[in-house]
Amino acid sequence: MNVLVVNAGSSSLKLSVLGEDDAVLAQRHVERWDGTADLDLVLPPVHAVGHRVVHGGTRFTAPVVITPDVRREIAALTDLAPLHQPRALAGIDAAQALFPDVPHVACFDTAFHRTLPAAAATYALPSTWRDRWDLRRYGFHGLSHAYASRRAVELAGGGSRVVTCHLGAGCSLAAVHDGRSVDTTMGFTPLAGLPMATRSGDLDPGLLLHLLNHLTADELADGLTHHSGLVGLSGHADLRDVHTAAARGANAHLALDVFTHRLRQGIAAMTASLGGLDLLVFTGGIGEHDQRLRAAAVANLEFLGVGVDPTLNRGNLPVDSRISPAGASVGVWVIRAREDVEIAEGTRTACSITIPKHG
């Protein structure tokens, strides 16, 4: 059973066809996608299509076959993920135009975090507000956290307490206990948590109220979403450019310091939610490729048993590698992001198709 996986980003479109045992049969990455179905695709036979959708709200806690009603409900969540939800809808529309005769399935980044305990998911807000507007911590990057945590446990031969670090243009951490998410850094929207490429991460709500005395709500939203994070601190959204600039300018150096400081805080907080740590996992574009960031992230976390071997923690790592010293109490792993595997499995589940084991 071949599954076409559609991952529509804020500007790009990633397509992959996964066959039996999740072998990649074809791939296509459109860097600048205009949302149309004119993709000039040459693909092997496709029997189902799986779509990454960032926000599922309280309604969608598992993969679901897309019907007109489901599409409308996904669209109604756009205010909660304005960068991502419209692009997912565009991907759904384009793929349905190209493959109208196969089932299409939505797989939600929020679904993995449906297991958050009330203590982690609940905001200290009036209950009337929480009930009326479904105000809670949803969490995001769930497809990535689910795969990375499971894959690390498989490779390590066990480990019930896992902290996963999805680090890319968007960044979040998750505390995973026996395969279930019990805490995460993102919240009601993907704007919360760690500083990111252009997003602010967590801020004092009083600071936001103060800014509303000087900015409109739209100006504030635009600034927090597009002009904050690394780009706000250094002028560079790409961490590779921040590294290059750090030696020449204090602002870029500060950006690295702020990013790693908050990352260390987050790892320690997720470990506290787990009551200890067996495995620490880095994934995503930064997590997989930036050995300097990985080394900086674990600095001063020796008290948790975390460390990396400088020889193992290098560039051009083999896929799915351990980088902690031999005999370390906590295994530190770099796991290739494979949201496509998670989406393909979810698609087969929703279509009641037997799921082959992945490697």
Side-chain angles (χ1 to χ4, degrees):
M1 178 60 61
N2 297 343
V3 177
L4 171 63
V5 174
V6 179
N7 188 339
S10 58
S11 62
S12 64
L13 179 68
K14 295 179 182 178
L15 304 170
S16 58
V17 179
L18 275 62
E20 295 300 317
D21 296 320
D22 290 318
V24 178
L25 305 180
Q27 286 182 316
R28 175 85 184 277
H29 187 186
V30 183
E31 286 286 351
R32 297 185 181 277
W33 180 53
D34 61 5
T36 70
D38 185 17
L39 294 170
D40 189 26
L41 294 177
V42 178
L43 298 174
V46 170
H47 306 107
V49 182
H51 298 264
R52 178 196 174 208
V53 180
V54 165
H55 214 306
T58 57
R59 162 73 170 82
F60 299 112
T61 58
V64 61
V65 174
I66 299 170
T67 64
D69 285 344
V70 166
R71 190 200 179 283
R72 279 192 291 272
E73 291 188 61
I74 291 171
L77 296 167
T78 295
D79 285 349
L80 303 185
L83 282 181
H84 302 91
Q85 213 79 346
R87 299 293 288 181
L89 291 165
I92 290 169
D93 293 342
Q96 286 185 327
L98 290 168
F99 300 96
D101 299 321
V102 303
H104 290 249
V105 173
C107 299
F108 300 91
D109 264 322
T110 49
F112 180 61
H113 302 296
R114 69 190 181 280
T115 56
L116 289 178
T122 305
Y123 288 119
L125 294 169
S127 60
T128 53
W129 295 5
R130 298 197 310 269
D131 295 341
R132 182 176 181 182
W133 295 302
D134 290 331
L135 304 181
R136 55 160 290 158
R137 183 181 302 278
Y138 287 103
F140 299 90
H141 295 136
L143 296 164
S144 179
H145 288 301
Y147 176 82
S149 58
R150 184 176 68 248
R151 180 64 172 155
V153 170
E154 290 173 355
L155 293 172
S160 61
R161 302 169 300 180
V162 184
V163 171
T164 47
C165 307
H166 178 98
L167 306 176
C171 301
S172 70
L173 310 182
V176 183
H177 191 274
D178 289 332
R180 294 166 63 88
S181 175
V182 298
D183 207 352
T184 189
T185 54
M186 282 183 168
F188 181 67
T189 73
L191 190 58
L194 303 175
M196 302 170 234
T198 65
R199 285 172 267 175
S200 64
D202 285 345
L203 295 169
D204 177 356
L207 184 153
L208 303 181
L209 293 173
H210 172 74
L211 286 173
L212 284 174
N213 293 323
H214 306 281
L215 301 169
T216 67
D218 287 343
E219 288 171 334
L220 181 59
D222 181 63
L224 296 175
T225 303
H226 299 289
H227 306 290
S228 297
L230 293 176
V231 75
L233 289 166
S234 70
H236 302 281
D238 191 314
L239 196 60
R240 292 169 294 187
D241 296 329
V242 178
H243 280 301
T244 300
R248 302 195 304 266
N251 287 345
H253 189 74
L254 177 63
L256 292 174
D257 289 345
V258 169
F259 188 82
T260 54
H261 174 74
R262 294 283 297 279
L263 179 54
R264 288 190 206 108
Q265 278 188 324
I267 292 170
M270 295 297 106
T271 300
S273 293
L274 291 167
L277 184 62
D278 300 315
L279 300 172
L280 176 65
V281 181
F282 291 98
T283 191
I286 293 172
E288 294 172 43
H289 302 295
D290 194 328
Q291 65 266 35
R292 287 176 290 181
L293 187 280
R294 293 192 298 262
V298 303
N300 300 326
L301 293 181
E302 293 88 354
F303 70 97
L304 297 178
V306 174
V308 298
D309 183 321
T311 302
L312 298 176
N313 182 41
R314 64 184 192 277
N316 299 317
L317 285 169
V319 172
D320 300 347
S321 298
R322 177 173 173 147
I323 60 172
S324 49
S329 60
V330 174
V332 182
W333 288 81
V334 179
I335 300 295
R336 180 186 174 194
R338 289 298 307 272
E339 293 164 312
D340 57 339
V341 169
E342 206 69 19
I343 293 168
E345 290 188 356
T347 299
R348 296 184 183 110
T349 299
C351 295
S352 300
I353 298 171
T354 300
I355 305 172
K357 293 182 178 179
H358 62 79

